[in-house]
């Protein structure tokens, strides 16, 4: 089959690889009909290269048709249309039964000290072959796949794999009071969708912050009050502008949807780039102990949120030696929640919104649809934020 493989920093290729097969009774094989390109994939493209191996198959946002089913998968049959969550979880362990499938005790990558295995995402999360491919082996298929109805196009449901539950959890963790205010830093796919989820869940004021014109216009068209970073000379000016429209206090919650590759963190970027140039035998161990993130967005979030407010971190961070302003965080009495989205925890709450009325705007959420063969160009375009690229879907 054809699949998108990682070969090095900013080097992805479409290669011919062996077709997946049933290896365990709890497996299924899914023929992919749509697969998303995620901002998290760009971290592999640039920052997290020390944890990658040439030939790794990328992608973790798939949907498709079940082609084969293992003997211990009673609720799936060949021909079912399914969305596959990005994490791999059993549904039966203590963590899964307590709505934390990202910490599944059956698939935890204990050798790396990490949580549940993920599709297409570094050796830290099991180096499981990913979903930017023609077919996907799905472990723990007795729990993971979400069956969806025939009829509507893939766009209606494909975001259940990651974008929708990640944005939903970001808003849930932000704990925005009814009629309250929330600022979303970063208006890529997750930040954009988090704004939409906050609106339908009753937030009174939703602010969006970014520096890409296309993303700002897209959010503004849906009623988000936007702030263009390019229009401010400093973080303090941005914070003051948002405080001015929140009674001088700042928003009740801030969602950081940027993560480790924030603009305005030149020193950390230099360290990340230098690490990526080292031989993998050196860069991996060094990154595990001394890696740093670009923290400009997180520092802005800490400064911006009102005293006693909540920070929800949904952008991926991977640093192990990050300096944080603990004095400010303690003094402001902040609550902080973060982590990978627990997809199956939120899926049943999200499905009622995936109707013909389309309150979340999923039907036209994608800005680009490309064949799998164009993946290298799609990665480059998305990484450079060119041609209005906010969300890219690939079709094998």
């Amino acid at each position: 089959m054809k699949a998108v493989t990682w070969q090095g920093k900013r080097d992805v290729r479409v290669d011919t690889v062996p077709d997946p097969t049933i290896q365990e009774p709890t497996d299924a094989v899914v023929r992919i009909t749509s697969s998303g390109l995620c901002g998290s994939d760009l971290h592999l493209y640039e920052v997290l290269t020390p944890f990658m191996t040439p030939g790794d198959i990328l992608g973790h946002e798939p949907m498709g048709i079940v082609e084969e089913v293992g003997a211990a998968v009673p609720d799936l049959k060949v021909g079912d249309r399914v969305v596959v969550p990005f994490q791999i979880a059993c549904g039966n362990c203590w963590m899964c039964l307590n709505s934390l499938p990202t910490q599944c005790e059956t698939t935890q990558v204990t050798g790396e000290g990490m949580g549940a295995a993920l599709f297409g995402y570094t050796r830290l999360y099991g180096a499981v072959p990913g979903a930017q491919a023609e077919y996907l082996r799905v472990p723990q298929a007795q729990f993971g796949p979400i069956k969806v109805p025939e009829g509507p196009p893939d766009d209606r449901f494909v975001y259940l794999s990651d974008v929708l539950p990640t944005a939903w959890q970001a808003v849930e963790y932000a704990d925005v009071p009814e009629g309250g205010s929330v600022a979303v830093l970063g208006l890529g796919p997750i930040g954009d969708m988090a704004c939409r989820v906050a609106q339908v869940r009753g937030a009174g004021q939703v602010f969006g912050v970014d520096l890409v014109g296309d993303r700002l216009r897209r959010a503004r068209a849906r009623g988000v009050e936007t702030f263009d970073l390019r229009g401010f000379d400093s973080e303090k000016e941005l914070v003051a502008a948002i405080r001015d429209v929140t009674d001088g206090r700042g928003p009740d919650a801030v969602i950081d949807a940027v993560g480790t590759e924030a603009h305005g963190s030149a020193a950390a970027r230099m360290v990340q780039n230098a690490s990526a140039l080292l031989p993998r035998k050196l860069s991996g161990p060094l990154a595990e102990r001394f890696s740093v993130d670009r923290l400009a967005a997180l520092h802005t979030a800490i400064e911006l949120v009102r005293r006693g407010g909540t920070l929800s971190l949904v952008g991926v961070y991977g640093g192990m030696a990050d300096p944080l302003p603990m004095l400010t965080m303690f003094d402001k009495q902040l609550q902080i929640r973060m982590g990978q989205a627990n997809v199956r925890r939120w899926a049943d709450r999200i499905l009622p919104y995936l109707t013909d009325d389309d309150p979340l705007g999923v039907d036209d959420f994608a800005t680009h649809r490309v064949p799998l063969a164009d993946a290298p160009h799609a990665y480059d375009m998305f990484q450079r934020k060119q041609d209005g690229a906010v969300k890219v879907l690939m079709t094998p």
Side-chain angles (χ1 to χ4, degrees), residues 68-339:
E68 297 182 64
V69 180
V73 184
D75 295 328
L76 284 185
K77 64 181 186 302
V78 173
D80 281 345
R81 189 186 194 198
V82 295
V83 177
V84 181
F86 68 89
Q87 74 252 182
I88 302 167
C90 72
N92 296 313
C93 69
W94 188 93
M95 288 291 180
C96 287
L97 293 174
N98 283 275
S99 300
L100 289 168
T102 56
Q103 310 303 325
C104 174
E105 292 170 320
T106 299
T107 73
Q108 277 181 14
V109 187
T110 54
E112 300 287 353
M114 305 298 281
L118 309 179
F119 288 106
Y121 216 79
T122 85
R123 64 171 173 80
L124 297 180
Y125 290 100
V128 180
Q132 289 169 6
E134 293 181 305
Y135 294 91
L136 177 70
R137 171 182 167 251
V138 181
Q140 304 298 329
Q142 80 286 350
F143 175 69
I146 302 163
K147 288 193 281 189
V148 297
E150 297 293 337
D154 281 8
D155 296 54
R156 180 75 56 89
F157 303 112
V158 67
Y159 306 115
L160 280 170
S161 59
D162 183 353
V163 174
L164 281 166
T166 298
W168 190 278
Q169 180 170 295
V171 175
E172 181 78 16
Y173 281 8
D175 195 25
V176 185
E178 182 71 25
S181 56
V182 58
V184 179
L185 307 184
L187 296 174
I190 302 300
D192 186 336
M193 186 58 73
C195 290
R196 302 179 188 204
V197 170
Q199 288 172 323
V200 302
R201 294 187 61 179
Q205 292 176 292
V206 179
F207 309 113
V209 180
D210 207 299
L211 45 65
V212 180
D214 291 325
R215 297 182 176 191
L216 290 160
R217 285 188 290 273
R218 179 177 160 105
R220 194 179 307 121
R222 295 190 65 90
V224 176
E225 187 171 351
T226 58
F227 293 81
D228 188 341
L229 277 174
R230 297 169 299 181
F232 299 93
D233 291 331
S234 67
E235 172 201 84
K236 289 186 177 181
E237 286 189 10
L238 169 68
V239 169
I242 298 179
R243 282 181 178 164
D244 283 345
V245 291
T246 53
D247 299 322
R249 287 187 292 270
D252 297 307
V254 175
I255 295 171
D256 174 1
V258 179
T260 185
E261 294 189 80
H263 290 265
S265 306
R269 177 173 185 147
M270 190 183 338
V271 172
Q272 289 176 342
N273 287 341
S275 175
L277 295 174
L278 292 172
R280 286 195 307 115
K281 287 184 179 180
L282 295 177
S283 62
L286 285 172
E288 288 178 35
R289 296 183 60 189
F290 303 114
S291 56
V292 295
D293 293 295
R294 305 180 209 168
L295 295 176
L298 179 54
H299 282 284
T300 298
I302 292 166
E303 184 66 23
L304 176 59
V305 69
R306 69 162 168 82
R307 291 179 177 271
T310 302
L311 299 181
S312 176
L313 309 186
V314 64
V316 172
Y317 284 98
M320 292 295 286
D322 290 329
L324 291 174
M326 294 302 297
L327 173 63
T328 301
M329 294 160 67
F330 183 84
D331 179 65
K332 291 185 74 171
Q333 199 171 331
L334 302 184
Q335 302 178 75
I336 304 175
R337 295 197 72 181
M338 66 187 83

